[in-house]
Amino acid sequence: MIKSIKGTRDILPPESALWSRVENTAREIFERYGFAEVRTPIFESTELFARGVGADTDIVSKEMYTFEDRDERSLTLRPEGTAPVVRAHIEHRLQQETSIAKLYYLGPMFRRERPQKGRYRQFHQIGAEVLGSDNPAIEAEVLEMLQFFLRLLGIQDQTLLVNSIGCPACRPQFLEHLKRSLAEKKTGLCPDCQRRSETNPLRVLDCKVESCQPAIESLPKISDFLDSACRAHFEKFLGYLASRQVAFTIVPRLVRGLDYYTRTTFEITSGALGAQNTLIGGGRYDGLAEALGGPSTKGFGFALGLERILLVLQDRGNPPDPLTPQVYLAPLGERAFDTATLIAKCMRENGIRCFLDFDARSLKSHLRLANKLGSLYALIFGEVELQAGNYQLKQMTNGEQTTLTPDELMRAAESSGQADLRTSILKALFLARSTYHF
Ligand code: AMP
């Protein structure tokens, strides 16, 4: 038997309904804040990520799914969404003279990490990027939006961590101090951090290995090295958060390891997750567009892991939306089945979730299935009822059954205002009868 690949997952019903709910909530809220969707290809030239993420990051050095195409060009399954969005922004000249570009994306990413709870090799991100301004008010607005998004999903247990990593003008001085301090503490560091001390010292700061923590605690803090422009930017950002009543904690270890990441970085973590507790990560990347060969374009954005949002929702016992039928059609006999196909069409066109089985069944068998599916109503009719224009409507929750007559259908069709489910079913049935003449 062929099985799915390690680190990938099938998203099956009913869990898939919860996925849709999270995605739809993101679309609705992000669009309300003026973000428009971009969809970039799943694979790109490898160089985009080597330059856009950085050759000496874990992602590029050991986690990418890279392959050679038949024309010997090196391609890579996208490990993240920011570099592709910025590439598209440059390629299609989305730079607007009058305003910033607000873009969001949603889809699968690929990293060859060691699979564990909350960490997969194909995972899904929703992300957003604001391109064209370095105003700290944009950063606060994005965090306000994220907090609103999480609140709508019912995720309360979350913490916003923020930091500033300075800019290419003030960071070198910090790096000098950091390198010197790391050289003194090398023996207390894990092998990865010993390597990073040389290749990418900033990354040592966000190492999660327990035994590294005492050494990390005693390293110099970037906040002591920010120049006045970076300090003013950070303070404005924090002020905007405070006035919006968005709670935050400043964490000096929060860094991004590449030169074009500048100033603000942030993470939103959740106590409901285990070791992989980061729900959302983001920051400012004012140098990225230039690193990709485009015009200088300020940028700020984030990516959230859908699997992790789902873990938090499921951990809280959040049941998937029940996609149970609102009405189960129970035709008795062949002619009644043919009519039922037309009633189903009309019900569905009029917004009613309707179930029609394709096997001939007895009444008992129909009702057993309607019950099993959790249907709210069952509409029962045979040849005789069709002749008379009568239908039996059974409310499955309490077993109450009423006969619907042509008169009653007419009265429902003529009623105005907000219709309840029962009236909607009657209206759709009236419409089906008058459209298809039965
Ligand atoms: P990053 O692009 O590494 O900043 O990650 C942003 C978010 O994507 C993280 O906060 C996670 O929620 C999620 N994420 C990153 N890597 C994985 C993975 N391998 N599996 C599942 N989620 C991930």
Short mmCIF file of all heavy atoms in Angstrom, two decimals, residues 59 80 111 113 118-121 123 125 256 278-281 303-305 307-308, ligand 1:
data_model
loop_
_atom_site.label_atom_id
_atom_site.label_comp_id
_atom_site.label_asym_id
_atom_site.label_seq_id
_atom_site.Cartn_x
_atom_site.Cartn_y
_atom_site.Cartn_z
N ILE A 59 17.26 27.07 7.12
CA ILE A 59 16.32 26.77 6.03
C ILE A 59 17.09 26.49 4.74
O ILE A 59 16.89 25.47 4.09
CB ILE A 59 15.34 27.96 5.81
CG1 ILE A 59 14.41 28.12 7.01
CG2 ILE A 59 14.53 27.76 4.53
CD1 ILE A 59 13.39 29.22 6.86
N GLU A 80 9.11 29.39 2.35
CA GLU A 80 8.46 30.52 3.04
C GLU A 80 7.87 31.46 1.98
O GLU A 80 8.13 31.28 0.78
CB GLU A 80 9.46 31.25 3.94
CG GLU A 80 10.66 31.82 3.21
CD GLU A 80 10.51 33.30 2.93
OE1 GLU A 80 10.17 34.04 3.84
OE2 GLU A 80 10.75 33.70 1.77
N ARG A 111 9.71 22.41 4.18
CA ARG A 111 11.04 22.44 4.82
C ARG A 111 11.34 21.03 5.31
O ARG A 111 10.50 20.42 5.97
CB ARG A 111 11.06 23.40 6.02
CG ARG A 111 10.88 24.84 5.63
CD ARG A 111 10.96 25.75 6.86
NE ARG A 111 10.36 27.04 6.54
CZ ARG A 111 10.12 28.00 7.42
NH1 ARG A 111 10.43 27.81 8.69
NH2 ARG A 111 9.58 29.15 7.05
N GLU A 113 12.49 19.52 7.86
CA GLU A 113 12.84 19.53 9.28
C GLU A 113 12.51 18.18 9.87
O GLU A 113 11.83 17.36 9.24
CB GLU A 113 12.02 20.61 10.00
CG GLU A 113 12.35 22.02 9.53
CD GLU A 113 11.70 23.06 10.41
OE1 GLU A 113 12.28 23.39 11.45
OE2 GLU A 113 10.62 23.53 10.07
N GLY A 118 3.44 19.74 15.69
CA GLY A 118 3.50 21.15 15.30
C GLY A 118 4.62 21.47 14.32
O GLY A 118 4.84 22.64 14.01
N ARG A 119 5.35 20.43 13.88
CA ARG A 119 6.41 20.69 12.89
C ARG A 119 6.33 19.63 11.79
O ARG A 119 6.46 18.44 12.07
CB ARG A 119 7.78 20.68 13.56
CG ARG A 119 8.84 21.27 12.65
CD ARG A 119 10.05 21.69 13.42
NE ARG A 119 10.87 20.54 13.74
CZ ARG A 119 11.91 20.56 14.56
NH1 ARG A 119 12.25 21.69 15.16
NH2 ARG A 119 12.61 19.50 14.78
N TYR A 120 6.12 20.09 10.57
CA TYR A 120 5.92 19.18 9.46
C TYR A 120 6.83 19.58 8.30
O TYR A 120 7.44 20.64 8.31
CB TYR A 120 4.45 19.21 9.01
CG TYR A 120 3.52 19.02 10.18
CD1 TYR A 120 2.96 20.12 10.83
CD2 TYR A 120 3.27 17.75 10.69
CE1 TYR A 120 2.15 19.94 11.95
CE2 TYR A 120 2.47 17.57 11.80
CZ TYR A 120 1.91 18.67 12.42
OH TYR A 120 1.13 18.50 13.53
N ARG A 121 6.91 18.69 7.31
CA ARG A 121 7.74 18.99 6.14
C ARG A 121 6.94 19.72 5.07
O ARG A 121 7.48 20.51 4.33
CB ARG A 121 8.38 17.70 5.63
CG ARG A 121 9.40 17.20 6.64
CD ARG A 121 10.08 15.94 6.21
NE ARG A 121 11.21 15.69 7.10
CZ ARG A 121 11.99 14.62 7.02
NH1 ARG A 121 11.77 13.71 6.08
NH2 ARG A 121 13.00 14.47 7.85
N PHE A 123 3.89 22.20 5.45
CA PHE A 123 3.01 22.86 6.41
C PHE A 123 2.39 24.06 5.70
O PHE A 123 2.71 24.34 4.55
CB PHE A 123 3.79 23.26 7.67
CG PHE A 123 4.92 24.21 7.41
CD1 PHE A 123 4.77 25.57 7.64
CD2 PHE A 123 6.13 23.75 6.91
CE1 PHE A 123 5.82 26.45 7.40
CE2 PHE A 123 7.18 24.63 6.66
CZ PHE A 123 7.02 25.98 6.90
N GLN A 125 1.13 28.16 5.72
CA GLN A 125 1.25 29.47 6.34
C GLN A 125 0.21 30.44 5.76
O GLN A 125 -0.16 30.33 4.59
CB GLN A 125 2.64 30.07 6.09
CG GLN A 125 3.74 29.41 6.91
CD GLN A 125 5.07 30.12 6.77
OE1 GLN A 125 5.33 30.79 5.76
NE2 GLN A 125 5.93 29.98 7.75
N ARG A 256 16.51 38.12 14.00
CA ARG A 256 16.53 37.47 12.69
C ARG A 256 17.98 37.58 12.23
O ARG A 256 18.60 38.60 12.42
CB ARG A 256 15.64 38.20 11.69
CG ARG A 256 14.26 38.43 12.21
CD ARG A 256 13.27 37.77 11.31
NE ARG A 256 12.27 37.10 12.10
CZ ARG A 256 11.35 36.31 11.58
NH1 ARG A 256 11.32 36.10 10.28
NH2 ARG A 256 10.48 35.72 12.33
N THR A 278 5.78 28.74 18.87
CA THR A 278 5.60 29.98 18.12
C THR A 278 4.45 29.84 17.14
O THR A 278 4.49 29.03 16.22
CB THR A 278 6.88 30.35 17.35
OG1 THR A 278 7.97 30.29 18.25
CG2 THR A 278 6.79 31.74 16.76
N LEU A 279 3.43 30.67 17.35
CA LEU A 279 2.27 30.66 16.45
C LEU A 279 2.54 31.52 15.23
O LEU A 279 2.20 31.17 14.11
CB LEU A 279 1.07 31.29 17.17
CG LEU A 279 0.09 30.45 17.95
CD1 LEU A 279 -1.03 31.37 18.46
CD2 LEU A 279 -0.51 29.38 17.07
N ILE A 280 3.13 32.68 15.49
CA ILE A 280 3.31 33.69 14.43
C ILE A 280 4.68 34.33 14.60
O ILE A 280 5.11 34.58 15.72
CB ILE A 280 2.23 34.80 14.55
CG1 ILE A 280 0.82 34.18 14.58
CG2 ILE A 280 2.37 35.82 13.42
CD1 ILE A 280 -0.32 35.17 14.71
N GLY A 281 5.37 34.56 13.48
CA GLY A 281 6.66 35.24 13.54
C GLY A 281 6.70 36.31 12.46
O GLY A 281 6.14 36.13 11.37
N ALA A 303 4.31 35.68 9.20
CA ALA A 303 3.71 34.42 8.74
C ALA A 303 3.21 33.66 9.95
O ALA A 303 3.88 33.61 10.98
CB ALA A 303 4.73 33.58 7.98
N LEU A 304 2.02 33.09 9.82
CA LEU A 304 1.51 32.25 10.91
C LEU A 304 1.36 30.83 10.42
O LEU A 304 1.10 30.57 9.25
CB LEU A 304 0.19 32.81 11.45
CG LEU A 304 -1.06 32.87 10.57
CD1 LEU A 304 -1.81 31.56 10.61
CD2 LEU A 304 -1.94 33.99 11.07
N GLY A 305 1.58 29.90 11.34
CA GLY A 305 1.50 28.48 10.98
C GLY A 305 0.08 27.97 11.22
O GLY A 305 -0.40 27.96 12.34
N GLU A 307 -1.13 24.92 10.96
CA GLU A 307 -1.19 23.68 11.77
C GLU A 307 -1.17 24.03 13.25
O GLU A 307 -1.86 23.40 14.05
CB GLU A 307 -0.01 22.76 11.46
CG GLU A 307 -0.15 21.93 10.19
CD GLU A 307 0.21 22.69 8.93
OE1 GLU A 307 0.52 23.89 9.04
OE2 GLU A 307 0.16 22.09 7.84
N ARG A 308 -0.36 25.04 13.60
CA ARG A 308 -0.25 25.38 15.03
C ARG A 308 -1.51 26.07 15.54
O ARG A 308 -1.93 25.84 16.67
CB ARG A 308 0.99 26.25 15.26
CG ARG A 308 2.23 25.43 14.91
CD ARG A 308 3.49 25.95 15.45
NE ARG A 308 4.59 25.23 14.83
CZ ARG A 308 5.84 25.63 14.82
NH1 ARG A 308 6.16 26.76 15.41
NH2 ARG A 308 6.76 24.91 14.24
P1 AMP B 1 9.04 31.29 10.03
O1 AMP B 1 8.73 31.42 8.54
O2 AMP B 1 10.11 30.27 10.30
O3 AMP B 1 9.22 32.60 10.71
O4 AMP B 1 7.73 30.63 10.68
C1 AMP B 1 6.51 31.30 10.81
C2 AMP B 1 5.49 30.39 11.42
O5 AMP B 1 5.27 29.26 10.57
C3 AMP B 1 5.94 29.75 12.72
O6 AMP B 1 5.64 30.61 13.77
C4 AMP B 1 5.13 28.48 12.77
O7 AMP B 1 3.83 28.75 13.26
C5 AMP B 1 5.04 28.10 11.33
N1 AMP B 1 6.05 27.06 10.98
C6 AMP B 1 7.34 27.23 10.64
N2 AMP B 1 7.93 26.06 10.35
C7 AMP B 1 6.98 25.10 10.48
C8 AMP B 1 6.96 23.67 10.32
N3 AMP B 1 8.01 22.97 9.91
N4 AMP B 1 5.79 23.02 10.57
C9 AMP B 1 4.69 23.71 10.97
N5 AMP B 1 4.66 25.04 11.14
C10 AMP B 1 5.77 25.74 10.89
#
